[in-house]
Amino acid sequence: MELKRRKVIHVITVYASSAFVIIELINNLSEPLNLPVNLLTIVVIILAVGFPLTIILSWLFDLTSKGVERTKPLSEEVPAEATAVPSAWKVATIVSFAVIAGLIVLNIVGINNQAYAASVRSLVVLPFGNYTGDDQLEYFVDGMHSSLIGGIGQLSGLRVLGETTANAYKKGDKSLPVIASELNVDAALESTVMCLGDTICLQVKLVSTFPEERQLWVGNFKEEKSEIMNLYNRIIRQIASEVKIKLTPSEKTQLTSDRKRNPALLEAIYKGRFYMNQLTPEGFELGIKFYDEAIAIDSSDPLPYLGLAHGYSLAGHVSGIVPNAAELAVENAHKALAIDSTLAEAYVVLASGPLYSEWDFAKAERYLRRALELNQNIAMAHYHYGWYWLAANNLEKAIAEFEISKEIDPVDVTYSANLAGAYVWIGQYEKALEEIENALKLNPVYPMAIWAQGTAMAKLGRTDEAIEIHEKGLAVSPGFENGLGTAYALAGQSEKALEVIAGLEELDLTWYTWAIAEIFSALGEYDSAIYWIEEAVDRRHDFAPWFKVYALYQPLYEDPRFQEIVNRINYPE
């Protein structure tokens, strides 16, 4: 009763709510305002010490209409005074209870949001919306999208889907939950470009998609074009914070480095990338032109060299334009890394030569390991690593890497088809057929997928179907003629198989030797098969080292001549 008369209960209520508000404010603002780490601890200690002092003062003094007065003893008060509670105290008490209840609710909601955020471990960066009103700026918007995917991909705690897959949703005709379900991701990043000149206006939304759609963060940015690379870093740091990913020391260093770019340089880089990615002779030439312009603007910037390295590495899609494309890809990758040794894509380019041409597996593995240390979300790096482990005869790791490449870029038929091809290579034909369904949905005339399907069927005894598949496939898209020859051989049609071999000899391609060996092995002509395997190795033809684990050569495994050829190659352990 005396506690109530002296307003101690009211003071405790107001003090508790005020303390709660102060603690919550510091807790929520400490990271955005970069407040000292130990500030919250200091404040809690001060509030804890102040609590008993406040109770003592509330016992001794009272807040009246005349100000602060010493509380009268009960014997000196008239009955009316003893029961009256000033309106200010009533209002303060009610407000305090309301504030406490509101903060508790908000805290619960916040905890719920944190739970959603902490569950985000995979992300798709959707194509940027171009709301500038100028379609001619699409090359720059695409470049921004690609750069952000590459930057977020460096976060080691997050699976970030590849650019090919992200661009499959450019039309924007599907809801986020549908996209997330199709891609099996936890969240999506939506970005909209509102202005693009000397200044860039950008809105970025991070949306959780499971178990329901929920906006986790939205950021509005207005930045000078020269600061765009630093803007990417800010966005990436914010995403890491929102999804509760702890940055490694190297990630922190990378994401806080100053990366200003000359706007004209950025224009040239993004134009070079845009045209080269068209994979046409005209686009390839334009891409080189713009990358050369970028180098003329600033020869100390690594990005034009990286763009050229990547473009030349894909020159097979526009064959005939650059005869020495592989050498130019390596040359430009080295130039890029000499300026910035943290460019993961450059290491991927460098790994290709040692892996497939030089057969220096140790060097290839060093490049691939370094690339994946810098960015685990490069599908091509995992794809190459799959072939590395296959050469090492570690089938489990090989398939795991092929699977990862497909998970990162599930819409890119390259990875689905090559996973199916890997299953054929190691003799798991049923699994190959399961995976081929995936690949053929993406591209029904993709040569690698057709070869894998036909070869798997032929080895399972479905030779008539296999022959039909190969014949139809080759009519639409020539390539992998060996599949048809093998199907003929396994069907007992030896003359037709020998006709395919004759045709392959005329083609004189960089894979025809082991392809001929494959058909001879299926025909049971093992001496001829051994001869052509040796030719493949001596001529250093593409994929020749993998004859050691090719299931179609299994009848040759115990032949001493086969083992002698194997011993010529320094395979990884």
Side-chain angles (χ1 to χ4, degrees), residues 416-446:
S416 287
N418 276 276
L419 175 57
Y423 279 127
V424 169
W425 206 274
I426 63 178
Q428 296 187 21
Y429 304 115
E430 295 287 0
K431 285 188 176 180
L433 290 177
E434 289 174 18
E435 191 56 47
I436 285 159
E437 284 186 34
N438 239 354
L440 292 176
K441 283 177 185 174
L442 297 171
N443 185 341
V445 294
Y446 193 71

Coordinates of all heavy atoms in Angstrom, one line a residue, residues 416-446:
S416 N 23.9 -29.5 -67.6 CA 23.0 -30.7 -67.6 C 23.5 -31.8 -68.6 O 23.6 -33.0 -68.3 CB 21.5 -30.3 -67.9 OG 21.0 -29.6 -66.8
A417 N 23.8 -31.3 -69.8 CA 24.2 -32.2 -70.8 C 25.6 -32.9 -70.5 O 25.8 -34.1 -70.7 CB 24.4 -31.5 -72.2
N418 N 26.5 -32.1 -69.9 CA 27.8 -32.7 -69.5 C 27.7 -33.6 -68.3 O 28.5 -34.6 -68.2 CB 28.8 -31.6 -69.3 CG 29.4 -31.2 -70.6 OD1 30.4 -31.8 -71.1 ND2 28.8 -30.1 -71.2
L419 N 26.7 -33.3 -67.4 CA 26.5 -34.3 -66.3 C 26.0 -35.6 -66.9 O 26.5 -36.7 -66.5 CB 25.5 -33.7 -65.3 CG 25.1 -34.6 -64.2 CD1 26.3 -35.1 -63.4 CD2 24.1 -33.9 -63.2
A420 N 25.1 -35.5 -67.8 CA 24.6 -36.8 -68.5 C 25.8 -37.5 -69.2 O 25.9 -38.7 -69.1 CB 23.5 -36.4 -69.5
G421 N 26.6 -36.7 -69.9 CA 27.7 -37.2 -70.6 C 28.7 -37.9 -69.7 O 29.3 -38.9 -70.0
A422 N 28.9 -37.3 -68.5 CA 29.8 -37.9 -67.5 C 29.3 -39.3 -67.0 O 30.0 -40.2 -66.8 CB 30.0 -37.0 -66.3
Y423 N 28.0 -39.4 -66.8 CA 27.4 -40.6 -66.5 C 27.6 -41.7 -67.6 O 27.9 -42.9 -67.3 CB 25.9 -40.5 -66.2 CG 25.5 -40.0 -64.8 CD1 24.7 -38.8 -64.6 CD2 26.1 -40.6 -63.7 CE1 24.4 -38.4 -63.4 CE2 25.8 -40.1 -62.4 CZ 24.9 -39.0 -62.2 OH 24.7 -38.5 -61.0
V424 N 27.5 -41.3 -68.8 CA 27.7 -42.2 -69.9 C 29.2 -42.6 -69.9 O 29.5 -43.8 -70.0 CB 27.4 -41.5 -71.3 CG1 27.9 -42.4 -72.4 CG2 25.9 -41.4 -71.4
W425 N 30.1 -41.7 -69.7 CA 31.5 -41.9 -69.7 C 31.9 -43.0 -68.7 O 32.7 -43.8 -68.9 CB 32.3 -40.6 -69.4 CG 33.6 -40.6 -69.9 CD1 34.8 -41.0 -69.4 CD2 34.0 -40.0 -71.2 NE1 35.9 -40.8 -70.2 CE2 35.4 -40.2 -71.3 CE3 33.3 -39.4 -72.2 CZ2 36.1 -39.8 -72.4 CZ3 34.1 -39.0 -73.3 CH2 35.4 -39.2 -73.4
I426 N 31.2 -43.0 -67.5 CA 31.6 -43.9 -66.4 C 30.7 -45.2 -66.4 O 30.8 -46.0 -65.5 CB 31.6 -43.3 -65.1 CG1 30.2 -42.8 -64.7 CG2 32.6 -42.1 -65.0 CD1 30.2 -42.1 -63.3
G427 N 29.8 -45.2 -67.4 CA 29.0 -46.4 -67.6 C 27.7 -46.5 -66.7 O 27.1 -47.6 -66.6
Q428 N 27.2 -45.4 -66.2 CA 26.0 -45.3 -65.4 C 24.9 -44.8 -66.4 O 24.4 -43.7 -66.3 CB 26.1 -44.4 -64.2 CG 27.2 -45.0 -63.2 CD 27.2 -44.2 -61.9 OE1 26.2 -43.5 -61.6 NE2 28.3 -44.3 -61.2
Y429 N 24.4 -45.8 -67.2 CA 23.5 -45.4 -68.3 C 22.1 -45.0 -67.9 O 21.5 -44.1 -68.5 CB 23.5 -46.5 -69.4 CG 24.9 -46.8 -69.9 CD1 25.5 -48.1 -69.6 CD2 25.7 -45.9 -70.5 CE1 26.7 -48.4 -70.0 CE2 27.0 -46.2 -71.0 CZ 27.5 -47.5 -70.7 OH 28.8 -47.8 -71.1
E430 N 21.6 -45.7 -66.9 CA 20.2 -45.3 -66.4 C 20.2 -43.9 -65.9 O 19.3 -43.1 -66.2 CB 19.8 -46.3 -65.4 CG 19.6 -47.8 -65.9 CD 18.4 -47.9 -66.8 OE1 17.6 -46.9 -67.0 OE2 18.1 -49.0 -67.2
K431 N 21.2 -43.6 -65.1 CA 21.3 -42.2 -64.5 C 21.5 -41.2 -65.6 O 21.0 -40.1 -65.6 CB 22.4 -42.1 -63.5 CG 22.1 -42.8 -62.2 CD 23.2 -42.5 -61.2 CE 22.9 -43.1 -59.8 NZ 23.9 -42.9 -58.8
A432 N 22.3 -41.6 -66.6 CA 22.5 -40.7 -67.8 C 21.1 -40.3 -68.4 O 20.9 -39.2 -68.7 CB 23.4 -41.3 -68.8
L433 N 20.3 -41.3 -68.6 CA 19.0 -41.1 -69.3 C 18.1 -40.2 -68.4 O 17.4 -39.3 -69.0 CB 18.3 -42.4 -69.6 CG 18.9 -43.3 -70.7 CD1 18.2 -44.6 -70.9 CD2 18.9 -42.5 -72.0
E434 N 18.2 -40.4 -67.1 CA 17.4 -39.5 -66.2 C 17.8 -38.0 -66.4 O 17.0 -37.1 -66.5 CB 17.6 -39.9 -64.8 CG 16.9 -41.2 -64.4 CD 17.3 -41.7 -63.0 OE1 17.7 -40.8 -62.2 OE2 17.1 -42.9 -62.7
E435 N 19.1 -37.8 -66.5 CA 19.6 -36.4 -66.6 C 19.4 -35.9 -67.9 O 19.2 -34.7 -68.1 CB 21.1 -36.5 -66.2 CG 21.7 -35.1 -66.0 CD 21.0 -34.3 -65.0 OE1 20.7 -34.8 -63.9 OE2 20.7 -33.1 -65.3
I436 N 19.4 -36.7 -69.0 CA 19.2 -36.2 -70.3 C 17.9 -35.6 -70.5 O 17.7 -34.6 -71.3 CB 19.5 -37.4 -71.3 CG1 21.0 -37.7 -71.4 CG2 18.9 -37.1 -72.7 CD1 21.3 -39.0 -72.0
E437 N 16.9 -36.1 -69.9 CA 15.5 -35.5 -70.0 C 15.6 -34.0 -69.6 O 15.0 -33.2 -70.3 CB 14.6 -36.2 -69.0 CG 14.1 -37.6 -69.5 CD 13.0 -38.2 -68.6 OE1 12.2 -37.4 -68.0 OE2 13.0 -39.4 -68.4
N438 N 16.3 -33.7 -68.6 CA 16.5 -32.3 -68.2 C 17.1 -31.5 -69.3 O 16.7 -30.4 -69.6 CB 17.5 -32.3 -67.0 CG 16.9 -31.7 -65.7 OD1 15.9 -31.2 -65.8 ND2 17.7 -31.8 -64.7
A439 N 18.3 -32.0 -69.8 CA 19.0 -31.3 -70.8 C 18.2 -31.1 -72.1 O 18.2 -30.0 -72.7 CB 20.3 -32.0 -71.1
L440 N 17.5 -32.1 -72.5 CA 16.7 -31.9 -73.8 C 15.5 -31.0 -73.6 O 15.0 -30.5 -74.6 CB 16.3 -33.3 -74.3 CG 17.4 -34.2 -74.8 CD1 16.9 -35.6 -75.1 CD2 18.2 -33.6 -75.9
K441 N 15.0 -30.8 -72.4 CA 14.0 -29.8 -72.2 C 14.5 -28.4 -72.4 O 13.8 -27.6 -72.9 CB 13.4 -30.0 -70.8 CG 12.5 -31.1 -70.5 CD 12.0 -31.2 -69.1 CE 11.2 -32.4 -68.8 NZ 10.9 -32.6 -67.4
L442 N 15.8 -28.2 -72.1 CA 16.4 -26.9 -72.2 C 16.8 -26.7 -73.7 O 16.7 -25.6 -74.2 CB 17.7 -26.9 -71.3 CG 17.4 -26.9 -69.8 CD1 18.8 -27.1 -69.1 CD2 16.7 -25.7 -69.3
N443 N 17.2 -27.7 -74.4 CA 17.6 -27.6 -75.8 C 17.5 -29.0 -76.4 O 18.4 -29.8 -76.3 CB 19.1 -27.1 -75.9 CG 19.4 -26.8 -77.3 OD1 18.8 -27.3 -78.3 ND2 20.5 -26.0 -77.5
P444 N 16.4 -29.2 -77.2 CA 16.2 -30.6 -77.8 C 17.2 -31.0 -78.8 O 17.2 -32.1 -79.3 CB 14.8 -30.4 -78.3 CG 14.5 -29.0 -78.5 CD 15.3 -28.3 -77.5
V445 N 18.0 -30.0 -79.3 CA 19.0 -30.4 -80.4 C 20.4 -30.2 -79.9 O 21.3 -30.0 -80.8 CB 18.7 -29.7 -81.7 CG1 17.4 -30.1 -82.3 CG2 18.7 -28.1 -81.5
Y446 N 20.6 -30.2 -78.6 CA 22.0 -29.9 -78.1 C 22.8 -31.2 -78.4 O 22.5 -32.3 -77.9 CB 22.0 -29.6 -76.6 CG 23.3 -29.1 -76.1 CD1 23.7 -27.8 -76.4 CD2 24.1 -29.8 -75.3 CE1 24.9 -27.3 -75.9 CE2 25.3 -29.3 -74.8 CZ 25.7 -28.0 -75.1 OH 26.8 -27.5 -74.6

